[in-house]
Amino acid sequence: WKEVLDSFTAACEEAGVEMIYQIAEDSAGMRSAYDSLLAQQCDIIVDGYALEEVANAYAEEAVASGVPFMTVSFECPVEGAYSYGTSNDGLGEFFGNFAAEAVEEEWGGEIDLIVTANAYNAVPAMAPRTDNAVETLMNTPGYEYLKDVEWVKIDTGMDTSTIGANTASMLTSHPDAEHILYITCTDTFAPVITNTVQDAGASDRVMLLSCDCTETFINHIKEYADSGEYSTWYGSIDLQTSTYGEKLLAKIDAIMKGEEVEAYTEHSGVMVTAENVY
């Protein structure tokens, strides 16, 4: 989000567009920020709030009052609002397509167990990020057999306190699974998962994919790129958020000019692995 804000700020400054922003810590802060932006008579509101359940309410309010409104990150379902970013459905499809290629390359297309870790109850809107990945993979030619392969879903909640224990339990209860595809919604949970797998002596049995391409992942995967060894934490999606600014501004400009603009613009990321990290 810092990269999105920085790139958007830079794009606006270069184009001579006045941009003001407020940081909303929670739903109450969102109310205050929204009202403040309206009071300053902004021409358009760009919303970067991560929880769709909160953001959609403001999209509805803005559209009803005639204020142009655009969300960043997810596809807003509110008719009349605009969106730019990478949807959870889109991320799921991206995960699934990449997994099909990676599993073929590393394991000859064999998967014995599928595991997904997501904040299923805390942030249900994020579920497609992992679950659509599995559905996409199952529908890929050569992977139809996965419909008969066990799929374990781990609810992470909003912290890492239980993910290690749940991962250890999964490995203990599936000692014969030699090829475990493990997809988690963000990099946040990946280090704990990776360490747990390593402690269980199962590093070569697990392929872990995540999203956000944080500095932690970059440092991790560079070590494996240098050594040439197999990395359990195999890849992370780089959303290339530092490129959002000009693209956001271009869409905003078209909206303000009254041009016909697509409601949602999907942004595709890049899966970073040991092969392309440099």
Side-chain angles (χ1 to χ4, degrees):
W1 287 109
K2 184 179 185 302
E3 288 186 349
V4 171
L5 179 59
D6 288 349
S7 66
F8 188 38
T9 301
C12 288
E13 289 179 352
E14 184 176 347
V17 173
E18 182 182 2
M19 191 274 281
I20 57 175
Y21 70 89
Q22 295 198 26
I23 303 297
E25 298 286 348
D26 49 31
S27 57
M30 182 67 173
R31 175 79 268 169
S32 175
Y34 179 83
D35 290 343
S36 175
L37 294 174
L38 286 183
Q40 295 176 75
Q41 299 181 322
C42 292
D43 295 305
I44 183 170
I45 292 178
V46 180
D47 167 40
Y49 203 84
L51 296 180
E52 297 178 34
E53 293 83 354
V54 174
N56 287 340
Y58 290 94
E60 292 176 353
E61 188 173 332
V63 170
S65 62
V67 178
F69 191 95
M70 184 163 73
T71 64
V72 182
S73 176
F74 62 89
E75 182 175 359
C76 183
V78 178
E79 186 175 355
Y82 300 91
S83 312
Y84 180 92
T86 306
S87 66
N88 287 309
D89 280 325
L91 281 172
E93 186 175 350
F94 188 97
F95 268 132
N97 289 331
F98 176 82
E101 298 178 4
V103 169
E104 178 63 33
E105 180 179 341
E106 296 292 344
W107 295 337
E110 295 184 16
I111 298 175
D112 304 315
L113 180 68
I114 298 171
V115 182
T116 56
N118 208 323
Y120 286 108
N121 289 318
V123 191
M126 199 159 54
R129 185 177 294 196
T130 52
D131 294 8
N132 195 38
V134 179
E135 298 296 335
T136 298
L137 186 57
M138 286 180 175
N139 292 322
T140 300
Y143 287 95
E144 295 89 348
Y145 74 90
L146 291 177
K147 293 179 174 64
D148 297 321
V149 170
E150 184 179 357
W151 176 4
V152 175
K153 293 186 178 183
I154 297 176
D155 193 337
T156 63
M158 294 294 284
D159 57 57
T160 60
S161 60
T162 61
I163 189 69
N166 287 333
T167 298
S169 176
M170 175 274 297
L171 291 171
T172 300
S173 60
H174 298 84
D176 297 328
E178 292 296 325
H179 304 109
I180 303 172
L181 176 63
Y182 198 141
I183 302 176
T184 184
C185 55
T186 73
D187 281 10
T188 303
F189 305 107
V192 175
I193 295 170
T194 303
N195 291 336
T196 301
V197 170
Q198 184 176 15
D199 291 343
S203 296
D204 293 338
R205 297 166 49 201
V206 177
M207 177 184 291
L208 176 64
L209 304 178
S210 61
C211 179
D212 289 338
C213 199
T214 56
E215 186 177 355
T216 300
F217 172 74
I218 292 295
N219 292 336
H220 167 89
I221 204 65
K222 280 183 177 179
E223 293 183 13
Y224 286 86
D226 294 340
S227 68
E229 298 177 4
Y230 175 82
S231 170
T232 296
W233 193 0
Y234 193 89
S236 180
I237 300 175
D238 179 3
L239 296 177
Q240 298 178 305
T241 43
S242 62
T243 70
Y244 272 38
E246 291 185 1
K247 297 170 184 177
L248 283 172
L249 190 57
K251 183 165 183 174
I252 288 169
D253 186 51
I255 292 170
M256 301 312 298
K257 288 179 178 177
E259 298 176 5
E260 187 173 339
V261 179
E262 59 186 0
Y264 176 62
T265 304
E266 180 87 29
H267 175 91
S268 296
V270 174
M271 182 69 80
V272 177
T273 68
E275 291 186 1
N276 65 3
V277 64
Y278 284 111

